[in-house]
Amino acid sequence: MGWLDKNPPQGALYYQRRWVKLDVDYLRYFDNDKQVYSKGIISTASITNVTSVGELKFEVITNNRTFIFKAESDAERKEWVTVLQDSTRGRQRRSTLNPGSPLSPEFKGYLELKGLRSKLYTVVTSDKVFLYKNMEDYRIGVGITSIEMNVGNVKVTDRRSFDLTTPYRIFSFIAESEQLKDQWVDTMRDAIGEALSNREVADQIWAEPSNSFCADCGTPKPEWAAINLCVVICKRCAGEHRGLGPNISKVRSLKMDRKVWTEELIQVFLLLGNNRVNSFWAANVPPSEALSSLSCSDDRRRFVTNKYRHGKYRKYHPLYGNQRELNNALCINVQCSDVLETLSLIFCGADVNCSTGMASCPTPLSLADTHAQPLQAVLLSHNLNTDLPRSEVDGGMEEVHFPAPTCVYHNGFLFKTGSMARAITERKAKEEFSRRWCTLNDCIFSYYESDKNSNPNGALRASEIVCLAVDVPEKHGYEHTFELYSESDRLYLFGTDDPNSHKEWIKSIAKSFIPAKAEPLLRLGFERIGRLKCKDGLNLQTSKVGWFALVGSTLHAYLKDSQEEEIHLRKLNELSIQQDNGVLVLVERGRTLYIEGERKLDFAGWCAAIQSAAGSGGDTLSQQQLTDTDIPVVVHSCVDYITQCGLTSEGIYRKSGVNSRVAALCERFRQDARSLRLKEGEHQVDDVSNTLKRFFRELEEGLFTSEDGGTWLTTTAIQDESMKISQYQKLLNKLPRVNRATLRALINHLYCVQRFSELNQMNLHNLAIVFGPTLFQTDGKDYTAGRAIEDLIQYYTLIFEVDEQQLKKQLEEITVIIQVREKLNTKFPSTEPGGHFICTVYLEEKKDTAEQHVKIPASMTSAELTCEILDRRNIPVKDKEYWNCWEVIDKEEMERPLHYRERVLPILHSFGTDSHLLIKKHITMEAMIIYLASKVDPSKHGMMKFREERSILGLGLSSGSFHDRYFILNSSSLRMYKEVRSNRPERDWPVKNLRVYLGIKKKVRPPTCWGLTVVYESKKQDKAERQQWYLCCETQPEMREWYATFLSIQNDGDVWPQEGIQPSRVSRALPDSRHGNVSLIPLRGSENEMRNSVAAFSQDQLAGRCLASSGDLATLQ
């Protein structure tokens, strides 16, 4: 290969510089040395002569064309001429008609390539696609390019259009008709399969002549095998073998399943061969039932089932019917080399796992290994779990088959969409459904064009159905729909407007594929039912098959050899998905269940359904995510956080938080309370306390229930203390279980808060005034609700029958927490005014007239700072305007828009003297949002130019220049490869540790002006490590797409707030000194002020009772 100048076809005087490659079959020339697909190819078989002409030039001559090339030196020309002559000398023409054409074209014809005005003559061979200008060029062997199909993927895009996608380019073709499009697609997909296959095993197996024909129908060159049955079969028969299930026939490809074909297994197939093995399997086939290569699918299915499931045609062993003798004969035979006899014994009922009676060799497999019989061992190992007809030790032998699901019969009209290979993400209109006659017969679900047709459009065996999902009403155009997921990872959607028909179909289909041991699941009103593989904490080595049904927020499961289990999803300690290995992790108290994804489609459906069911299901207490003790997670999290961080906060529960942050916390708790971890510094005490109050205020039915809420309030009027406590206990026991547990936890918390009122100034009365209207959801115009809460806190130990020792221990633990926090007072960032960080922020540009001095609390986000500046300047935010806070580093000539939820204070602490914050519009944000919305795959890959800040050991890159590298960015990492074809990445960075800036400093001489500066920060052995490198893109849109993908992945798809940035979002509500018409006792002030407040409060008719219970004035301070 090398650079040559080529004379264009028109014979112009000038030459074009081309990168030229020569291999055994073709001389190819490219625009440059980076291109993968050539500008032209010349078949070496069509070259008739190569001669030197003129100064530094040489001619490549074919029958119809002459190509002129020019070298840079005479020595180079001489080398090219010699090599070309050697490569073409003595080559045989492949045919007199097509001397330079690819061998054995599978399909050929004209296709239109989008972007070109004319059609191209396209030829599909076994593993390549060739493009020619016309049929004449194909005939003489002069083409445009060839496409290796081992890196290709074919996708239908329109009625006549389809894409051939490779890592280097997408070829968009348009066929002449829809029928021809289907033929092109099928042929190219076959070429991909051929390109990915390995003929080595097939050639070895076919070396036995009888293996060159299908053992069932006689089709030549069969490419599949049932490795436990020892038969070589064709593609169509292999499909029927798969229908039997892997417990009967383990189907593997001769070309693609290379790993399974050990040398021993290949020797078994060569030793037996289809003829010998059929002397057992097909010894008694009636001529009327025999298959041919032209047999239809129904005939093949019937024959394969009879031959292998029922053993109808097999040659019965003389010992058939005597289990003990069969087992003894097997143990004796595996010690010799007669593999066919072993096959006969196994499939006539001998137990592969029987006991040999010898401690050193307890099983037939260990006997075979001990006596050095590897072929016997491999046959036994592939049949350890095969379902076979069995005989009893005592009595006569009867055929006993593996129990199939109960046969169910049902038929009727349904409406069906086309089958899909991806999840349904949008509503399907009625127009997208087609009316089909459907039947469920003999465990086969078939659908026909009409009830008059005899041949089905398609069919699903019950054994192929892995999941049935029942959609909510009106999810699609038809009111009632359901989804079927198949073993081949396809999704089928059916619908009807008749609820009774819908119910019957679901019942019938579920019954057809759910085994007898899991039949109780069928009695449930399930939303999703099916088969999954799983592991539990007791055995993580092996997976077991389980049958699952999702009903509301409960997952019912039948695991292997176990009774029905119930998993309450809203009570899980943890629910997560391990994306790398496709595992759904469910953590209960004392147990972890790992659900594995065998197939992407139905596993994704299960994950989404389980995650949705595990979330909050509504606004009542019982519909919340709960702890083991039946307390809503939101209540438990807020109470725990305030106990740890807020018991010494003055005015806790009285002071208001930031409305926007409280609303955001409520929404996050509502979406998935389990995943939210409240952290000091990130979440503020007042925000959390207001979140808890808002939760109870907005609770449907209320904490005390709408039915009995009034009774709780009237109980406050009872004067006798013992009678009042007794009535409260009766009402408490009448509450639903979750309400009762929640009330106990909340009153326990409030009791602890008022016990430390000397620190937080929230005594019994103040807490009652705050929580009375909140918990009873009243307007607060009188103190009745407050009186009820005050009673519950005051008589807490009696009403709830609290263990005094446990309560004392709890209070001691809280005291220790407070003492520890006092000692570590400087450890946590302050949110008080004294802890604010004052910095200079610029508006739109860095100049004196644009600067603003702002106090930055630890909790302030980028969006809040932006709104603060816009509020000061009275700048309204218009629609489609994306105001953002930017981190600008002058020295490095780069800038970065802060994410709207990103905390500002950590950025300020990391600032250098050449950095500043700037508020300005993000002019490309809308384009980024549109791009991200159009992406199907969240990842991105492509070529970029790379340069590191310093030399990194092992890369061998010069620090003074940029180098082309291939990058793959996914949800977990950014990987860099030396080239597209590389298998191993040169570098792999965790994407969450990357900080990406727009711009590259001119000092490093970037090849384009569209670049990114990437900073990687991590800790190794407690030492901070920082790396910086540069990425250059060819165009601005390309850079924008890379940056948008980084931003989306690092923030889990949340790039910009849906409601936009609103300048009023950071306003704090001023604390009100009254709750309804009831005055709060001041937190601080002179004794006179407090007396005046108490006097105002005493106007309430129950004030005397309040003051008496509160003690003297000293207790109010």
Side-chain angles (χ1 to χ4, degrees):
M1 67 179 69
W3 289 102
L4 290 173
D5 293 330
K6 177 184 173 294
N7 191 256
Q10 294 80 8
L13 296 177
Y14 64 90
Y15 282 77
Q16 298 168 330
R17 193 159 178 76
R18 295 285 183 258
W19 178 255
V20 185
K21 291 183 181 179
L22 174 66
D23 55 37
V24 175
D25 295 312
Y26 292 96
L27 177 67
R28 310 169 191 266
Y29 52 90
F30 306 78
D31 279 334
N32 56 61
D33 57 346
K34 299 293 188 299
Q35 281 190 335
V36 175
Y37 299 111
S38 60
K39 199 168 184 65
I41 56 175
I42 307 167
S43 171
T44 53
S46 69
I47 298 175
T48 57
N49 196 12
V50 182
T51 59
S52 298
V53 293
E55 184 179 356
L56 304 179
K57 292 184 289 188
F58 63 92
E59 292 180 339
V60 177
I61 303 170
T62 68
N63 284 332
N64 299 70
R65 297 260 310 264
T66 298
F67 299 85
I68 302 175
F69 295 93
K70 183 178 181 181
E72 293 185 351
S73 66
D74 192 56
E76 186 180 359
R77 176 180 66 173
K78 185 176 180 181
E79 182 181 0
W80 272 105
V81 171
T82 302
V83 171
L84 281 167
Q85 287 175 343
D86 290 343
S87 66
T88 57
R89 186 179 294 117
R91 284 183 60 84
Q92 298 293 324
R93 289 187 178 180
R94 293 175 180 174
S95 71
T96 55
L97 177 63
N98 298 349
S101 304
L103 280 172
S104 306
E106 304 287 341
F107 201 67
K108 54 188 177 180
Y110 281 100
L111 283 175
E112 181 181 338
L113 182 64
K114 289 183 181 178
L116 295 180
R117 294 182 179 178
S118 57
K119 297 180 180 180
L120 298 179
Y121 195 73
T122 307
V123 178
V124 182
T125 64
S126 62
D127 59 353
K128 296 182 181 67
V129 172
F130 290 83
L131 302 181
Y132 299 87
K133 289 185 177 179
N134 49 52
M135 187 187 299
E136 177 63 19
D137 281 0
Y138 163 65
R139 193 185 67 79
I140 65 176
V142 177
I144 299 171
T145 192
S146 64
I147 305 166
E148 298 283 345
M149 297 300 278
N150 62 334
V151 294
N153 182 44
V154 181
K155 177 183 176 183
V156 176
T157 57
D158 204 349
R159 285 195 316 113
R160 294 191 298 118
S161 304
F162 64 95
D163 288 347
L164 172 55
T165 305
T166 73
Y168 323 105
R169 182 179 170 183
I170 298 176
F171 297 86
S172 298
F173 293 109
I174 302 175
E176 293 179 344
S177 68
E178 192 170 351
Q179 183 179 2
L180 280 174
K181 181 261 297 184
D182 292 338
Q183 293 179 0
W184 279 110
V185 169
D186 290 343
T187 307
M188 288 192 182
R189 284 176 176 167
D190 289 342
I192 292 171
E194 182 67 25
L196 295 173
S197 65
N198 187 326
R199 293 182 59 91
E200 181 183 350
V201 171
D203 291 338
Q204 287 182 268
I205 298 293
W206 293 338
E208 159 58 40
S210 64
N211 288 341
S212 297
F213 299 92
C214 175
D216 294 336
C217 70
T219 298
K221 296 298 180 183
E223 298 181 357
W224 298 83
I227 58 174
N228 62 321
L229 307 177
C230 299
V231 290
V232 185
I233 51 181
C234 67
K235 183 177 181 180
R236 294 185 67 188
C237 289
E240 304 306 328
H241 275 255
R242 285 197 197 92
L244 299 176
N247 54 325
I248 294 176
S249 181
K250 298 178 181 177
V251 182
R252 298 293 185 270
S253 170
L254 301 184
K255 292 186 174 182
M256 289 181 282
D257 294 323
R258 183 65 184 88
K259 290 183 180 179
V260 77
W261 290 102
T262 61
E263 188 59 37
E264 291 78 12
L265 183 59
I266 293 173
Q267 289 304 316
V268 168
F269 275 76
L270 292 176
L271 175 66
L272 295 178
N274 278 350
N275 280 349
R276 291 192 69 204
V277 83
N278 264 341
S279 68
F280 167 73
W281 283 116
N284 301 296
V285 179
S288 61
E289 295 183 23
L291 292 181
S292 71
S293 59
L294 301 177
S295 295
C296 66
S297 296
D298 287 342
D299 289 343
R300 290 176 193 269
R301 185 179 305 121
R302 190 179 304 108
F303 178 83
V304 168
T305 301
N306 286 334
K307 183 177 179 180
Y308 300 106
R309 180 189 283 277
H310 304 307
K312 180 178 178 180
Y313 312 127
R314 63 186 163 173
K315 179 181 179 181
Y316 286 96
H317 196 278
L319 298 176
Y320 180 79
N322 190 327
Q323 186 71 59
R324 182 177 288 110
E325 292 302 321
L326 280 170
N327 292 350
N328 289 339
L330 178 66
C331 293
I332 294 170
N333 195 73
V334 295
Q335 302 175 46
C336 67
S337 59
D338 192 348
V339 179
L340 184 60
E341 176 70 6
T342 298
L343 182 91
S344 174
L345 286 165
I346 292 173
F347 289 98
C348 280
D351 186 357
V352 178
N353 299 297
C354 67
S355 173
T356 64
M358 294 181 286
S360 58
C361 302
T363 64
L365 179 57
S366 58
L367 269 177
D369 287 331
T370 302
H371 289 80
Q373 296 296 332
L375 304 192
Q376 298 276 21
V378 75
L379 176 59
L380 291 168
S381 65
H382 285 301
N383 284 288
L384 291 176
N385 299 308
T386 303
D387 291 331
L388 307 166
R390 298 293 184 197
S391 60
E392 301 297 331
V393 174
D394 300 315
M397 178 77 165
E398 294 182 1
E399 279 196 78
V400 181
H401 298 288
F402 179 75
T406 307
C407 286
V408 182
Y409 302 91
H410 192 66
N411 57 51
F413 281 104
L414 285 172
F415 295 87
K416 176 186 177 295
T417 64
S419 66
M420 290 157 274
R422 63 176 60 184
I424 302 173
T425 57
E426 55 188 21
R427 189 175 190 271
K428 296 288 184 181
K430 277 192 173 184
E431 293 74 22
E432 298 180 69
F433 288 79
S434 300
R435 190 168 184 255
R436 294 288 181 262
W437 175 256
C438 299
T439 64
L440 182 60
N441 188 2
D442 197 21
C443 295
I444 299 175
F445 177 72
S446 307
Y447 46 93
Y448 301 77
E449 193 74 28
S450 72
D451 55 346
K452 309 298 183 189
N453 290 67
S454 57
N455 293 324
N457 289 10
L460 271 176
R461 290 180 169 276
S463 58
E464 295 175 325
I465 300 174
V466 296
C467 180
L468 165 62
V470 184
D471 294 325
V472 296
E474 300 183 359
K475 180 178 179 180
H476 298 292
Y478 285 92
E479 187 172 355
H480 304 283
T481 54
F482 63 88
E483 301 169 5
L484 292 179
Y485 295 79
S486 72
E487 187 84 53
S488 58
D489 222 14
R490 302 289 294 181
L491 167 59
Y492 301 81
L493 177 63
F494 294 88
T496 177
D497 281 332
D498 182 356
N500 294 325
S501 172
H502 179 255
K503 186 176 180 179
E504 281 300 314
W505 273 112
I506 289 170
K507 177 182 175 181
S508 301
I509 293 173
K511 192 174 181 180
S512 72
F513 77 94
I514 296 298
K517 69 174 183 179
E519 262 191 11
L521 296 178
L522 300 175
R523 294 193 286 269
L524 304 172
F526 55 81
E527 299 144 36
R528 181 176 287 263
I529 190 170
R531 183 180 84 225
L532 291 167
K533 290 181 72 175
C534 59
K535 299 176 183 178
D536 58 30
L538 300 177
N539 184 4
L540 296 179
Q541 280 70 46
T542 57
S543 301
K544 50 189 175 183
V545 174
W547 295 90
F548 294 81
L550 181 62
V551 183
S553 62
T554 304
L555 186 64
H556 299 259
Y558 274 88
L559 305 181
K560 186 177 181 182
D561 303 326
S562 68
Q563 299 299 315
E564 180 184 2
E565 300 181 32
E566 291 185 5
I567 302 170
H568 298 281
L569 298 175
R570 290 192 187 130
K571 286 190 175 184
L572 291 176
N573 295 340
E574 181 184 335
L575 175 64
S576 60
I577 300 176
Q578 298 176 359
Q579 298 286 358
D580 294 341
N581 50 7
V583 175
L584 181 65
V585 184
L586 287 74
V587 182
E588 296 181 282
R589 187 175 183 180
R591 179 194 183 189
T592 301
L593 184 66
Y594 301 87
I595 296 178
E596 300 177 334
E598 288 186 276
R599 299 155 298 274
K600 288 185 178 180
L601 200 55
D602 76 294
F603 179 68
W606 275 107
C607 288
I610 289 174
Q611 284 181 311
S612 176
S616 298
D619 293 326
T620 64
L621 271 179
S622 60
Q623 293 174 314
Q624 306 303 309
Q625 292 173 314
L626 303 174
T627 65
D628 294 332
T629 53
D630 289 322
I631 301 169
V633 174
V634 56
V635 175
H636 181 270
S637 297
C638 292
V639 166
D640 185 61
Y641 178 84
I642 291 169
T643 301
Q644 295 286 332
C645 309
L647 279 188
T648 60
S649 177
E650 189 175 285
I652 182 68
Y653 289 117
R654 176 180 173 178
K655 294 193 295 184
S656 299
V658 177
N659 289 332
S660 61
R661 292 205 295 258
V662 173
L665 271 177
C666 289
E667 183 58 30
R668 289 191 63 190
F669 273 123
R670 190 175 293 111
Q671 290 175 355
D672 187 6
R674 188 185 299 107
S675 66
L676 178 56
R677 297 289 183 267
L678 296 174
K679 299 177 183 178
E680 190 171 15
E682 184 176 338
H683 301 98
Q684 307 309 306
V685 169
D686 292 333
D687 294 340
V688 175
S689 65
N690 278 264
T691 298
L692 182 62
K693 290 192 297 181
R694 185 175 295 188
F695 169 76
F696 283 113
R697 169 66 76 174
E698 297 175 353
L699 197 62
E700 190 175 319
E701 295 292 322
L703 177 60
F704 296 98
T705 73
S706 56
E707 180 182 351
D708 292 321
T711 311
W712 283 86
L713 294 177
T714 58
T715 304
T716 60
I718 299 175
Q719 298 299 316
D720 184 271
E721 186 174 291
S722 60
M723 289 181 61
K724 179 184 286 190
I725 292 172
S726 176
Q727 179 64 16
Y728 278 133
Q729 287 177 330
K730 289 179 182 178
L731 292 171
L732 178 66
N733 292 328
K734 193 177 177 181
L735 285 176
R737 184 185 72 255
V738 176
N739 296 53
R740 187 166 60 250
T742 304
L743 180 60
R744 173 186 285 270
L746 180 63
I747 299 302
N748 169 266
H749 171 63
L750 298 181
Y751 179 87
C752 294
V753 172
Q754 60 90 32
R755 285 294 296 264
F756 293 91
S757 60
E758 73 278 4
L759 299 174
N760 56 45
Q761 306 302 313
M762 291 300 289
N763 56 25
L764 180 66
H765 172 67
N766 278 350
L767 284 173
I769 291 176
V770 171
F771 274 94
T774 296
L775 298 181
F776 284 97
Q777 300 178 342
T778 63
D779 56 12
K781 291 183 179 179
D782 60 54
Y783 188 61
T784 307
R787 176 73 66 202
I789 299 303
E790 189 173 323
D791 285 344
L792 290 174
I793 299 174
Q794 183 177 356
Y795 302 122
Y796 163 66
T797 57
L798 299 173
I799 295 173
F800 294 92
E801 299 177 346
V802 177
D803 185 330
E804 296 283 354
Q805 291 300 318
Q806 285 293 106
L807 182 59
K808 181 181 178 183
K809 184 178 178 181
Q810 181 183 4
L811 293 171
E812 289 173 352
E813 290 174 352
I814 294 174
T815 302
V816 172
I817 291 172
I818 293 173
Q819 291 172 350
V820 171
R821 290 181 60 81
E822 287 176 351
K823 291 180 182 179
L824 303 176
N825 192 39
T826 58
K827 178 177 180 179
F828 303 98
S830 170
T831 60
E832 297 300 318
H836 290 170
F837 191 99
I838 300 176
C839 78
T840 301
V841 182
Y842 296 90
L843 180 62
E844 295 196 284
E845 57 182 345
K846 187 181 179 182
K847 60 182 182 179
D848 294 342
T849 57
E851 68 180 31
Q852 296 283 321
H853 300 288
V854 187
K855 290 181 180 180
I856 308 292
S859 61
M860 179 173 274
T861 64
S862 162
E864 291 171 349
L865 176 58
T866 303
C867 293
E868 173 85 12
I869 299 300
L870 295 179
D871 273 343
R872 289 189 182 188
R873 291 298 187 94
N874 295 319
I875 298 176
V877 178
K878 299 177 182 178
D879 189 33
K880 301 299 183 182
E881 281 189 350
Y882 299 88
W883 285 92
N884 215 134
C885 180
W886 296 68
E887 175 191 1
V888 182
I889 304 177
D890 298 322
K891 181 180 178 182
E892 297 291 330
E893 302 173 36
M894 62 187 188
E895 60 184 9
R896 178 177 72 93
L898 304 187
H899 186 258
Y900 74 92
R901 285 191 283 105
E902 190 171 352
R903 304 281 175 180
V904 179
L905 194 58
I907 305 301
L908 296 176
H909 286 317
S910 65
F911 261 9
T913 56
D914 57 341
S915 303
H916 64 274
L917 292 179
L918 182 69
I919 306 297
K920 66 174 182 177
K921 294 177 185 176
H922 197 318
I923 58 175
T924 61
M925 178 57 75
E926 184 172 4
M928 288 165 57
I929 293 173
I930 293 171
Y931 166 72
L932 292 172
S934 67
K935 278 171 67 69
V936 177
D937 183 3
S939 62
K940 182 171 175 57
H941 55 84
M943 298 293 296
M944 286 190 287
K945 296 185 182 297
F946 168 85
R947 174 184 167 168
E948 55 187 332
E949 179 71 11
R950 57 180 179 80
S951 180
I952 300 175
L953 187 63
L955 274 182
L957 299 177
S958 166
S959 61
S961 59
F962 282 79
H963 301 263
D964 285 318
R965 287 294 183 267
Y966 185 74
F967 288 87
I968 296 179
L969 174 61
N970 59 34
S971 60
S972 61
S973 63
L974 174 67
R975 295 174 181 170
M976 182 177 78
Y977 297 79
K978 188 172 183 180
E979 56 185 9
V980 177
R981 299 183 182 218
S982 300
N983 293 323
R984 292 187 177 182
E986 289 184 314
R987 297 295 302 276
D988 189 335
W989 299 281
V991 73
K992 297 291 186 182
N993 289 19
L994 301 180
R995 186 174 289 183
V996 186
Y997 292 82
L998 297 166
I1000 299 179
K1001 58 184 177 184
K1002 296 183 180 64
K1003 185 178 178 181
V1004 300
R1005 298 179 181 176
T1008 73
C1009 58
W1010 313 114
L1012 305 171
T1013 300
V1014 184
V1015 177
Y1016 170 70
E1017 294 178 338
S1018 66
K1019 280 191 175 182
K1020 290 187 177 180
Q1021 298 177 350
D1022 295 329
K1023 292 184 179 179
E1025 180 187 18
R1026 187 181 190 276
Q1027 299 173 12
Q1028 182 170 313
W1029 65 91
Y1030 309 100
L1031 303 174
C1032 268
C1033 304
E1034 293 293 335
T1035 64
Q1036 185 183 20
E1038 183 183 359
M1039 181 190 73
R1040 185 170 60 232
E1041 290 172 6
W1042 276 104
Y1043 192 83
T1045 308
F1046 270 110
L1047 197 61
S1048 176
I1049 289 176
Q1050 289 183 328
N1051 296 283
D1052 301 321
D1054 183 14
V1055 174
W1056 192 259
Q1058 292 183 354
E1059 73 278 13
I1061 298 291
Q1062 301 299 328
S1064 61
R1065 65 189 295 138
V1066 295
S1067 60
R1068 284 180 177 266
L1070 294 175
D1072 191 357
S1073 63
R1074 301 182 63 85
H1075 255 258
N1077 291 342
V1078 182
S1079 299
L1080 286 170
I1081 296 175
L1083 299 178
R1084 296 289 184 192
S1086 67
E1087 185 173 341
N1088 287 334
E1089 289 172 337
M1090 297 184 70
R1091 286 184 185 279
N1092 292 335
S1093 180
V1094 174
F1097 168 67
S1098 64
Q1099 294 175 6
D1100 188 286
Q1101 59 180 353
L1102 297 177
R1105 167 67 184 85
C1106 173
L1107 291 177
S1109 65
S1110 301
D1112 59 11
L1113 286 174
T1115 62
L1116 298 175
Q1117 297 178 7

